[in-house]
Structures are given as C-alpha cells and as structure tokens.
Amino acid sequence: MSREPDLVIGVILNGVTGRMGAHQHLRRSLLEIRRQGGAPLPNGRRAQVRLLLVGRNPEKLAALAAEAGGDVRWTTDLHAALSDPEYSVYFDAQTTDRRAAALRQAIAAGKHVYAEKPVALTSAEALDLWRAAHAAGLGNGVVQDKLWLPGLQKLQHLVASGFFGRLLSVRGEFGYWVFDGRDVPAQRPSWNYRREEGGGIILDMFAHWRYVLDRIVSPVRAVCCVGATHLAERWDERGQPYACTAEDAAYAMFELDGGVIATINASWCVRVRRDDLLVVQADGTLGSAVAGLRRCWIQPAPATPRPVWNPDVDQPLDFFDSWIELPDQRPYDNAFKVQWEAFLAHVAVGAPFPWTLLEGAKGVQLAELAHQSWRERRWVEVPDLAPELSDGHKAP
Ligand SMILES: NC(=O)c1ccc[n+]([C@@H]2O[C@H](COP(=O)([O-])OP(=O)(O)OC[C@H]3O[C@@H](n4cnc5c(N)ncnc54)[C@H](O)[C@@H]3O)[C@@H](O)[C@H]2O)c1
C-alpha cells in the first residue's frame, strides 16, 4: 500500500543564535523532530520541517546551519526570508524588545507566527498582533513550555483528578543566584537587567505565571506585587560594569477564581535550598503536593504528620519523610518540542492550538498589572483582556 507523501512546512527561525533559539528551539525541538522523521499529525501523516535561520552574525549562523546539516539555510536578511514562499511559518526568539515589530512584518507577509514569551512589551501591542493574525486567518501561538514540564503535568493531573479536595492555596518559589558577572560570569544575558532593553523579572516570569495559574490551577483575578532591584550594578558579556535598571526580584500574591490564594516569589538574587529551581506547592483539604520541574511529591490528608511547636528541642519530625514521590507513568518529551509538534500540526491540518497570541497577551497583561500594583502599592484586578470574546465569540 502506498503511503501518502509527508507535508513539508518551511520555518523561518529568527533569534536562533540566542540561548533559547539555539538550544531549546533549534537543537532540542526542530532538529529532534527532523531526526525522528517529522512531527506526527492527527491524520496519521507527518509534517517535515525545512529550516531557514535568520540573525545578524553570519559566522554564528553558518556554524549552526552546518551543525544542523541537511538542507538548513541561513540569511541575515529578514525581509528576504519573509518574502520566500517556501517558508510559511515565522518563529521569533529574539530579545523581547524586538519581537512585536518582527511579528508584525511576518503577519503582513502572510506567515503563520509562533513566538517566545513575552510576546511584546505591552499587552495592547500583543493584543494587536493577535487581532492582526486572527483577522488574516493565520496560525499563531506563544511558547508556554512550563505546561509540558513533567513536574507541572503531574500537578495538573492531581488538580484535574480532585486529589486536593478543596484547593486552598498555591505557593511558588522560583529563582537562583545569577552571578553579577564581575568575578564569575553571569548565567543570563545582561539585557535581562536593563528595563530599556525589555529586561526585568516581572515581564520575564509573569508571562509564565499567568498560564501556569490560569491553566493548571484556576484563572487569575487580582495581583499584588512588589519588585526590587537588589543588585544595582552587574558586569556584561564584555566584562564592562553597567547599571541595573530593571528589577531582579518580584514578590507577588494572586487571587484566583474559586478563592484560591497564590503567592509566587521570583528572584535572581536567591540561593537555592529547595527541591528545584521552580517549586510549586499546592495545599488542599484532602492533600498537598509539591512539584518541581520534573518531579512531584504528594502528602494525602491521612499521611499528614502532627507537628507540635517546641523550640526547646530539636525538631523530632523529618518533614520530608512523609511525602510520596509520584512515579513517571509515561515518558515525557522536551516541553518545547511537544509544543512545536502541536503548532506544526495546527498549521498543517488545523489541529487545535489554544496557546495563541491572545494567551501570550494575557501574560504581558499580568506583568503590566504587577508593575502597576508595585508602583501604586495596592491590589489590582485582572480584567478580561478581550471582552468581545466572552459573549459567544471564540478565540481561534
Ligand atoms: N520560554 C522560556 O522559558 C524562556 C527562557 C528564557 C528566555 N525566554 C525568552 O526568549 C527570548 C530570548 O531570550 P534569550 O535568553 O535566548 O536571549 P539571548 O540574548 O541569548 O538571545 C537573543 C537573540 O536575539 C538576537 N538579537 C538581539 N539583539 C538583536 C538585534 N539588534 N538585531 C538582531 N537580533 C538581535 C540575538 O542575536 C540572539 O539570537 C526572550 O524574549 C526571553 O524572554 C524564554
């Protein structure tokens, strides 16, 4: 029996020389998809990818293309790339401040668009991009990788299965010590610490908190946040000192639908003594869970120890002992790759892809409202971003 030929989807990758572009999107996602023989489609066929790498530095691009092998092409001319009909998808992993303009160009060129978060610097800009892509009938999406982390998938399953009884609260701890770059090289790019270049932990991380809370726990209704620039000076990639103009920590509370209270601390100035770089604890009447990036532990109500406050003696309980680690009941693939496969299936055969630019705009909105809360020192409500969609109109 002859097999139907595979579909080939041309993907333009911009910002591919960066940390996320090169590692997560090119190496860990698209090259893996090529290696495994394409992205599986719901109709049993597969989508192959043809790649065009875009950036500023010809040497870096040529090296990445050589590493990728096959027919991977590269160019420093974004306009020419967008004019090439062989490529129907534009992906953007540039620094955040460059994203909106490039997405707008790609939409005008009739490309389906997929982008790293945050989608834009303001929610108004992000919403405009969604409206433009939607009106043109183009596929569109934003990276929401944390949804496919094994630890958070296990947590999502617990919430969906009713494990917690009535869910009371969620507390997230995110962060690690990012070296200032003077004696030990920094692990993050210097633009992350400059507001004028799209930096700041609020814009960076609240784009994640929005979809993690909305989709795994319950929709976010209000936010109260205080940020801080704990380190005023850092040293950049060339060893030069620079002033930090963006916050490097954010301490936030959220009210969620159903009365759940969430607190999430995020900091690049914290030393880790916890299970993982991101740890989310959820407590409910019938049990609690703690999720890291890959692992997840539970403590059902009947296994809850009964501590008694007595600072005169060493704590007799080992609080880590009474937790049960959940097994991996199935294999977990790279989170970015799983979402790429879903986007390719969306473009190829219209498979559902709910992680649209509108969802990306909601992430930017939460960051904006957190900034407002910090500035005005008060709680801020989170309104519907596109109210026209709530009465019967559906997002694509
Ligand atoms: N999903 C996640 O978990 C996650 C994690 C980290 C970063 N990000 C996002 O990914 C994006 C990239 O972050 P990164 O850490 O990879 O940054 P990076 O600095 O390592 O890479 C940025 C890319 O943008 C390109 N670029 C920068 N200035 C340019 C210019 N003037 N002209 C053309 N290209 C330019 C660089 O060449 C590079 O390819 C950011 O928007 C960030 O918020 C997402």
Side-chain angles (χ1 to χ4, degrees):
M1 197 174 78
S2 71
R3 194 167 156 268
E4 281 207 72
D6 291 332
L7 288 167
V8 180
I9 299 176
V11 179
I12 300 165
L13 283 171
N14 195 8
V16 71
T17 59
R19 282 188 325 147
M20 300 310 293
H23 192 61
Q24 293 298 352
H25 294 287
L26 181 63
R27 295 193 182 106
R28 301 282 284 127
S29 299
L30 291 161
L31 296 184
E32 281 301 324
I33 289 171
R34 282 165 64 108
R35 222 164 275 137
Q36 74 183 17
L41 301 177
N43 60 10
R45 294 172 69 187
R46 297 184 88 80
Q48 304 294 340
V49 283
R50 175 191 295 130
L51 302 177
L52 175 54
L53 315 184
V54 179
R56 284 173 297 175
N57 184 321
E59 287 79 35
K60 285 189 189 171
L61 291 167
L64 279 175
E67 176 190 330
D71 58 353
V72 175
R73 290 172 46 208
W74 63 269
T75 177
T76 54
D77 185 344
L78 175 61
H79 183 72
L82 290 175
S83 316
D84 191 332
E86 292 279 290
Y87 299 88
S88 59
V89 170
Y90 172 79
F91 173 73
D92 193 292
Q94 295 187 95
T95 46
T96 306
D97 59 341
R98 305 183 53 76
R99 181 125 56 246
L103 287 177
R104 200 165 298 116
Q105 265 181 277
I107 292 167
K111 306 294 181 194
H112 305 293
V113 287
Y114 184 38
E116 259 298 353
K117 47 51 64 181
V119 166
L121 295 175
T122 66
S123 60
E125 243 179 336
L127 200 52
D128 264 5
L129 290 168
W130 174 72
R131 290 201 167 106
H134 184 45
L138 298 168
N140 61 90
V142 62
V143 173
Q144 300 201 332
D145 52 290
K146 308 293 175 264
L147 293 175
W148 289 273
L149 287 173
L152 293 188
Q153 289 235 315
K154 291 168 191 169
L155 182 65
Q156 184 165 28
H157 178 69
L158 290 169
V159 174
S161 69
F163 166 80
F164 294 101
R166 185 161 61 85
L167 191 54
L168 308 173
S169 67
V170 168
R171 57 201 71 213
E173 272 295 333
F174 163 80
Y176 48 95
W177 190 264
V178 176
F179 287 90
D180 66 12
R182 186 178 50 182
D183 301 319
V184 178
Q187 315 90 300
R188 298 182 61 87
S190 56
W191 66 264
N192 283 189
Y193 303 91
R194 289 192 288 264
R195 172 76 49 85
E196 61 280 15
E197 290 177 38
I201 204 166
I202 293 180
L203 184 60
D204 191 358
M205 294 314 297
F206 283 52
H208 292 298
W209 303 159
R210 179 69 193 260
Y211 67 78
V212 165
L213 292 171
D214 273 5
R215 294 209 178 256
I216 297 182
V217 188
S218 184
V220 183
R221 294 299 176 219
V223 57
C224 181
C225 176
V226 58
T229 306
H230 290 307
L231 298 195
E233 188 179 41
R234 289 177 178 269
W235 279 256
D236 68 14
E237 289 76 6
R238 291 163 306 132
Q240 299 301 311
Y242 65 93
C244 300
T245 49
E247 76 289 342
D248 52 18
Y251 307 89
M253 289 192 285
F254 306 90
E255 282 177 355
L256 313 184
D257 246 13
V260 181
I261 308 296
T263 62
I264 306 184
N265 296 323
S267 175
W268 289 317
C269 304
V270 65
R271 295 185 176 86
V272 178
R273 193 169 195 274
R274 54 183 126 89
D275 291 302
D276 213 331
L277 300 188
L278 169 64
V279 173
V280 179
Q281 173 164 343
D283 291 289
T285 50
L286 298 183
S288 295
V290 171
L293 302 184
R294 303 186 60 82
R295 301 170 69 183
C296 183
W297 297 262
I298 58 169
Q299 186 172 98
T304 308
R306 188 171 173 281
V308 176
W309 182 267
N310 183 0
D312 297 329
V313 298
D314 285 345
Q315 177 54 249
L317 295 172
D318 179 340
F319 291 111
F320 288 85
D321 266 0
S322 44
W323 292 80
I324 304 162
E325 183 172 1
L326 297 183
D328 283 352
Q329 291 175 332
R330 60 180 179 81
Y332 294 95
D333 208 345
N334 175 279
F336 293 87
K337 175 170 171 262
V338 178
Q339 202 183 356
W340 262 109
E341 289 179 334
F343 189 71
L344 292 169
H346 178 58
V347 168
V349 295
F353 191 85
W355 311 283
T356 59
L357 288 181
L358 175 60
E359 296 302 303
K362 289 183 187 174
V364 181
Q365 178 201 32
L366 188 63
E368 264 169 11
L369 298 176
H371 269 292
Q372 183 187 348
S373 159
W374 176 19
R375 214 170 39 243
E376 298 176 5
R377 301 176 74 79
R378 66 175 184 90
W379 276 94
V380 176
E381 303 296 318
V382 178
D384 271 356
L385 191 54
E388 76 268 22
L389 294 177
S390 41
D391 352 282
H393 299 273
K394 276 262 168 280

